[in-house]
Amino acid sequence: MNHFILINLFIFLFVIARNITQASREFTQQLFGQKIICWLFSSNYIVHVINDLPSNSELRLHCASQDYDLGYHTLSVGDDYNWSFCDILHVTVFVCHLWWDLNSKELAFEAFQAHVRANSCFESGECFWSARGDGIYSSGYRDSHDYKVTYFWDDMLPS
């Protein structure tokens, strides 16, 4: 009987702690501003998705994490859609779904994974994703020659 009570108490405390963490993060971000909280307690990241497709190609995208849905956006060639966030608990994952209407190509990929330290954005604090004709390239720096093809248009994350 005591074992059952301890397990339930642990589950209860875990759920309460998770809800308090989320509520306090939202409150402190509103009260003090995201930049101060990030500077004091965590890491701040900026993720960019850039349309580097051939001329006159539109790129449609939808990015979201477990906590934030960034909505749908349409980018013209050269446009840069970006967002910043704090990764307080080092568990953030943002998934982006891209559609290239001209060739009816689509791709879903993890644009940010806090648990993957090899990710190029950890060095600079920024992640750059460039949608090109053959796939999606990534780099930790915007004006860099070290963009590497990371995904091809035919790759898809499992649903």
Side-chain angles (χ1 to χ4, degrees):
M1 186 80 157
N2 287 339
H3 183 67
F4 179 74
I5 292 171
L6 286 175
I7 290 173
N8 282 333
L9 180 61
F10 176 77
I11 292 170
F12 174 75
L13 291 175
F14 176 78
V15 169
I16 294 297
R18 186 167 192 273
N19 288 338
I20 288 172
T21 302
Q22 177 67 24
S24 67
R25 176 174 49 175
E26 290 173 4
F27 174 75
T28 53
Q29 285 180 359
Q30 290 173 1
L31 183 63
F32 299 110
Q34 182 173 347
K35 290 185 179 183
I36 293 174
I37 298 306
C38 286
W39 180 74
L40 291 174
F41 301 112
S42 67
S43 301
N44 187 45
Y45 295 99
I46 303 171
V47 178
H48 300 259
V49 179
I50 303 160
N51 181 351
D52 286 324
L53 292 168
S55 301
N56 301 319
S57 297
E58 284 190 338
L59 179 69
R60 183 131 169 94
L61 66 93
H62 177 248
C63 299
S65 71
Q66 181 178 346
D67 298 322
Y68 302 103
D69 185 335
L70 303 177
Y72 289 85
H73 303 274
T74 302
L75 306 181
S76 298
V77 173
D79 286 352
D80 176 342
Y81 175 74
N82 60 77
W83 68 96
S84 65
F85 59 95
C86 284
D87 183 32
I88 295 174
L89 300 175
H90 305 291
V91 295
T92 303
V93 175
F94 273 96
V95 174
C96 290
H97 196 143
L98 307 180
W99 295 269
W100 178 16
D101 292 333
L102 179 66
N103 291 336
S104 300
K105 305 242 181 198
E106 67 177 291
L107 172 71
F109 67 98
E110 292 180 337
F112 181 87
Q113 308 169 58
H115 61 279
V116 178
R117 293 292 173 195
N119 194 325
S120 61
C121 29
F122 288 104
E123 193 174 307
S124 68
E126 294 190 71
C127 305
F128 292 90
W129 296 96
S130 171
R132 301 180 184 183
D134 58 343
I136 309 303
Y137 290 68
S138 64
S139 176
Y141 301 94
R142 170 69 167 143
D143 296 321
S144 169
H145 298 290
D146 70 341
Y147 273 92
K148 296 176 187 149
V149 65
T150 309
Y151 301 101
F152 293 100
W153 281 108
D154 298 331
D155 296 341
M156 286 291 285
L157 279 176
S159 45

